[in-house]
Amino acid sequence: MYRLLGFMSVGVTVILIVSVAIGCGSNRKNIEELAGEGNELRVYEVFGMDCPGCHGGVEKLVNRLNGVIASKANWEKQQLTVVILRTAEITDQMIFDAIKQANFTPGKRLR
Amino acid sequence: MLVLVLGSQAFHHSTAQAGGISIDAGLTPAANRWIFRSQVRILQRNNGPAVPSMKMEAYMFPVMVAYGLRSDAMIMIRQSYMRRVMKTAGESSTSSGLGDLFILGKYRLTRINTSTYTLGIAPTLGIELPTGEDRISSDSYDLRYGILLSGRSNSWGIDLNLTYAWNGIALTDNTDIDPGDEIAVEAAVSRQVSVGETADIAVAPVLESSYQKRDADISNGVRIGNTGESLLLLAPGLKLTRGSFILEGLVQFPIWQDHEGSQTKRQTSVLLGVRLMN
């Protein structure tokens, strides 16, 4: 019984890994394209990201804000690009709070 | 004892995206973020040219799930499946099954992010429950506490773990052996090298070093012979990050080891793993 459970957990693990790995990175929206559709594009400094794995954490929290269409982080440039619906009322402080929740520190708004 | 030593090395801290591989000293993940991690570890021990010859091979498949309760606190659960083959004087025996369940909490005491560096400190507290199968389980409740220090500057990362394992805070009915406590000092240096313009892919060479000491087991107040050891390990590795997916591997070389009595010696071990973050 336990052996079966062990093998099953390994099997499920492999399936999960393969399926998510295939999906990883393939659903990235073209952020510039989205901004070009009449939406607002903002760029913020973000400190504390140290590898691509950090992107998802901050993007997920920023994307939860009502009115955010998409966001894209870049650990190397220490930047977060956010596309916001033109009619949405999203302040910089709301973005800063989301960045902090992701364990990073917001810097200046660059654009 | 062997099972415990193996178990103790199976990524007790496992939340960072950068940093080490087997001795990851990551801070807490973002609030509401899930991290899924799995590894395959292959480890061997033998007693060299001594007679009778003894050899042990262990294959571990630990699976870990971590969740960011808040931005400064996380919980992690780990469950391993293990297969162990012992060969003594031509005879072989195999034991396999689920290992003990490990639950760990981590609190981020401080984290300083600037444009040039990041520094963080996070204490941890965990417990290993004797839920594993008979020949795999430690048969004791083991407490683990430690502190993680994490530093980043540009693309370089340094992580330091100090862990104390208070093994046998309570024993099950299956044993009267109080397993020896363990202490581990572990360090990892890594460098992230970005691939492509979007910075979504990075390759990171990693070099880890760890010192582990385990006290001898005790039964009825008497130290048990051939238990207890000290190890110094060096492990070069490589990590590939693509978005929220990390593929990692390393080879762990024992540089120095000291065993009480006539125990088998640790040989080179291999680790391959993946991490997924949502």
Side-chain angles (χ1 to χ4, degrees), chain B:
Chain B
M1 189 196 101
L2 181 63
V3 174
L4 281 177
V5 171
L6 285 169
S8 73
Q9 293 166 16
F11 57 76
H12 14 191
H13 319 297
S14 320
T15 57
Q17 292 78 43
I21 295 173
S22 72
I23 55 172
D24 211 326
L27 301 171
T28 51
N32 303 316
R33 195 172 200 200
W34 289 92
I35 297 176
F36 174 86
R37 193 174 184 190
S38 184
Q39 292 181 341
V40 176
R41 279 174 170 259
I42 303 167
L43 189 146
Q44 289 188 336
R45 300 178 77 107
N46 65 46
N47 64 343
V51 179
S53 67
M54 287 189 288
K55 188 178 178 186
M56 186 282 299
E57 293 170 359
Y59 306 89
M60 285 186 67
F61 305 97
V63 175
M64 181 279 291
V65 178
Y67 179 69
L69 299 169
R70 308 187 316 189
S71 61
D72 61 355
M74 60 143 276
I75 188 163
M76 183 270 276
I77 296 175
R78 184 189 71 214
Q79 175 69 69
S80 299
Y81 178 82
M82 183 188 292
R83 178 182 168 83
R84 191 179 58 198
V85 181
M86 302 284 290
K87 292 175 182 168
T88 307
E91 293 194 5
S92 172
S93 67
T94 303
S95 52
S96 59
L98 291 178
D100 292 342
L101 185 70
F102 182 57
I103 302 168
L104 178 107
K106 188 185 292 185
Y107 176 71
R108 189 204 69 215
L109 208 59
T110 185
R111 176 168 178 153
I112 303 162
N113 299 314
T114 74
S115 60
T116 51
Y117 69 89
T118 295
L119 280 176
I121 301 173
T124 62
L125 180 64
I127 187 162
E128 197 162 280
L129 308 171
T131 55
E133 291 184 58
D134 282 352
R135 297 186 64 186
I136 303 295
S137 173
S138 68
D139 287 330
S140 68
Y141 293 83
D142 307 321
L143 198 65
R144 297 182 190 284
Y145 46 91
I147 192 158
L148 324 173
L149 310 172
S150 188
R152 303 279 182 269
S153 184
N154 298 318
S155 55
W156 288 91
I158 296 178
D159 295 289
L160 183 68
N161 281 3
L162 306 171
T163 312
Y164 187 85
W166 182 8
N167 292 328
I169 54 170
L171 305 177
T172 65
D173 293 337
N174 298 334
T175 184
D176 61 352
I177 297 173
D178 184 5
D181 293 350
E182 296 169 61
I183 189 165
V185 182
E186 305 167 312
V189 179
S190 63
R191 183 168 191 267
Q192 293 284 345
V193 181
S194 188
V195 179
E197 287 181 7
T198 60
D200 276 332
I201 302 174
V203 176
V206 180
L207 183 64
E208 299 182 355
S209 179
S210 60
Y211 171 77
Q212 299 159 4
K213 183 179 189 309
R214 186 188 160 94
D215 294 337
D217 298 346
I218 292 174
S219 179
N220 297 320
V222 179
R223 287 166 63 95
I224 301 175
N226 299 332
T227 62
E229 66 177 2
S230 300
L231 280 171
L232 183 63
L233 303 164
L234 194 66
L238 197 65
K239 189 188 296 189
L240 173 70
T241 307
R242 179 175 185 258
S244 297
F245 176 75
I246 298 176
L247 184 66
E248 56 200 3
L250 61 75
V251 182
Q252 209 167 34
F253 299 101
I255 302 300
W256 169 86
Q257 47 191 320
D258 181 37
H259 303 273
E260 293 196 20
S262 56
Q263 296 185 61
T264 52
K265 287 194 183 301
R266 176 87 172 257
Q267 306 298 310
T268 301
S269 57
V270 178
L271 181 156
L272 292 170
V274 292
R275 289 188 231 184
L276 299 170
M277 297 162 281
N278 82 335

Side-chain angles (χ1 to χ4, degrees), chain A residues 28 31-32 42-59 71-82 99 104-105 110, chain B residues 115 194-202:
Chain A
R28 297 279 182 208
I31 206 106
E32 299 291 341
R42 299 184 196 172
V43 179
Y44 298 90
E45 281 182 321
V46 178
F47 304 129
M49 296 189 290
D50 60 10
C51 78
C54 296
H55 294 171
V58 66
E59 289 169 2
S71 63
K72 181 82 182 73
N74 186 314
W75 69 276
E76 226 179 2
K77 292 181 180 173
Q78 300 186 107
Q79 287 180 5
L80 175 72
T81 305
V82 187
I99 292 169
F104 305 123
T105 302
L110 301 172
Chain B
S115 60
S194 188
V195 179
E197 287 181 7
T198 60
D200 276 332
I201 302 174

Side-chain angles (χ1 to χ4, degrees), chain A residues 58-111:
Chain A
V58 66
E59 289 169 2
K60 181 181 167 186
L61 288 164
V62 170
N63 289 347
R64 276 187 185 172
L65 296 172
N66 195 15
V68 169
I69 297 170
S71 63
K72 181 82 182 73
N74 186 314
W75 69 276
E76 226 179 2
K77 292 181 180 173
Q78 300 186 107
Q79 287 180 5
L80 175 72
T81 305
V82 187
V83 178
I84 298 169
L85 199 65
R86 184 186 288 185
T87 53
E89 293 180 2
I90 292 183
T91 63
D92 289 339
Q93 191 57 49
M94 291 161 76
I95 303 284
F96 292 160
D97 289 344
I99 292 169
K100 285 176 189 169
Q101 260 208 308
N103 278 326
F104 305 123
T105 302
K108 289 181 292 190
R109 178 173 165 181
L110 301 172
R111 181 174 163 188

